[in-house]
Amino acid sequence: MDNIIEVRNAVYEYVDEDVVKRAVDNVSFSIERGSFTVILGHNGSGKSTLAKLLNGLLKPTDGDIFVDGINTKDEETEIEVKRKVGMVFQNPDNQLVASVVEEDVAFGPENLGLHPSVIRKRVDDALNSVGMYEYRESTPHRLSGGQKQRIAIAGIIAMEPSCLILDEPTAMLDPKGRKEIVSTLRKLNKEKGITVVLITHYMEEAEKADRVMVMNDGVIIDDNTPKEIFKKVEVLKSVGLSVPQTTELLYALKQNGFNISTDVLSVEETANAIAYCLEEE
Ligand code: ADP
Ligand code: MG
């Protein structure tokens, strides 16, 4: 299998006035190139720490992390790792630096010292791929939260990373903005083949992922397809996560004696399952 990221027995401990907090506790997994992975977990479960480990912002206290075969601990290749794994954070306002959209997106490629014509092309491509090309001459602070976050994503895409890690990029957005981000990420994954690791506590955002990892207390407690993950309603609830409304409904029907399939996720599938169940009654 072709893995872009390999995590082997990674541990991360924060030391704060002699108090040691183990935020990531002996975690091992790999991320396949071109895949779309969602990492779910409630506050304090270690998601941000793990994200920072994956692009070398933090170095593991113990164990190793490899990006494209490069150990993130290697100081000579530090920049290469950061270039391969782009990071998008929660607050778009903290990530936008320029007063014009296209200047903002050009900021990263300019720092790579690329030729102006190459930069121009990268900026246009990146803005097109997040659906924001027509806003290239706008002022970022006048855009909606979802639009700003798409500009932040474009700025990272313009550096042409192989992998994109997003740490709760939708946490500050309204439902519309959240949908915009998730569909933009799916498009980047499908059309550009960019590996996506989306960290979130919104379950609905995991529905269309190839794979869902559930994190709790520094440990990956489950790692499976979205359908398999969401079947475990009780487990998810026990770690402070709420399941999608469709799952909740089917689960409640089943608990109340309806012979209904819980092996579905989308609204359409759920409607069909209910219709089918009623026909059988
Ligand atoms: P999440 O992103 O899932 O909310 P974090 O990775 O931010 O989780 O935090 C995991 C744990 O590490 C939490 O218990 C948190 O309090 C602790 N932690 C995070 N950052 C620091 C820090 N700079 N110093 C000490 N403890 C920290
Ligand atoms: Mg976090």
Side-chain angles (χ1 to χ4, degrees), residues 153-223:
I153 294 171
I156 303 296
I157 295 299
M159 315 264 280
E160 301 195 339
S162 333
C163 180
L164 200 54
I165 298 182
L166 306 102
D167 189 2
E168 304 209 38
T170 61
M172 305 185 76
L173 308 180
D174 59 13
K176 181 167 172 283
R178 276 159 47 195
K179 283 214 179 90
E180 280 170 30
I181 297 305
V182 175
S183 64
T184 300
L185 294 176
R186 275 177 53 73
K187 186 164 168 269
L188 289 170
N189 176 247
K190 292 279 167 287
E191 293 173 12
K192 293 197 165 231
I194 295 175
T195 310
V196 175
V197 179
L198 170 62
I199 295 170
T200 182
H201 61 257
Y202 291 113
M203 289 272 196
E204 316 85 79
E205 294 176 10
E207 271 175 32
K208 303 238 167 70
D210 297 319
R211 172 187 184 188
V212 179
M213 296 188 345
V214 182
M215 217 178 163
N216 188 49
D217 215 1
V219 179
I220 311 280
I221 60 160
D222 213 344
D223 183 353

Side-chain angles (χ1 to χ4, degrees), residues 47-48 90 167-168:
K47 304 181 302 296
S48 293
Q90 198 174 90
D167 189 2
E168 304 209 38

Side-chain angles (χ1 to χ4, degrees), residues 71-116:
N71 195 320
T72 61
K73 281 178 182 165
D74 274 343
E75 277 169 25
E76 305 98 80
T77 41
E78 226 166 31
I79 293 173
E80 228 175 298
V81 167
K82 295 215 169 66
R83 219 175 268 179
K84 283 175 191 287
V85 182
M87 281 274 258
V88 174
F89 297 96
Q90 198 174 90
N91 190 342
D93 290 320
N94 295 344
Q95 299 171 81
L96 303 176
V97 288
S99 54
V100 180
V101 165
E102 61 185 1
E103 284 171 16
D104 200 277
V105 178
F107 188 78
E110 271 165 6
N111 280 333
L112 296 178
L114 301 168
H115 190 272

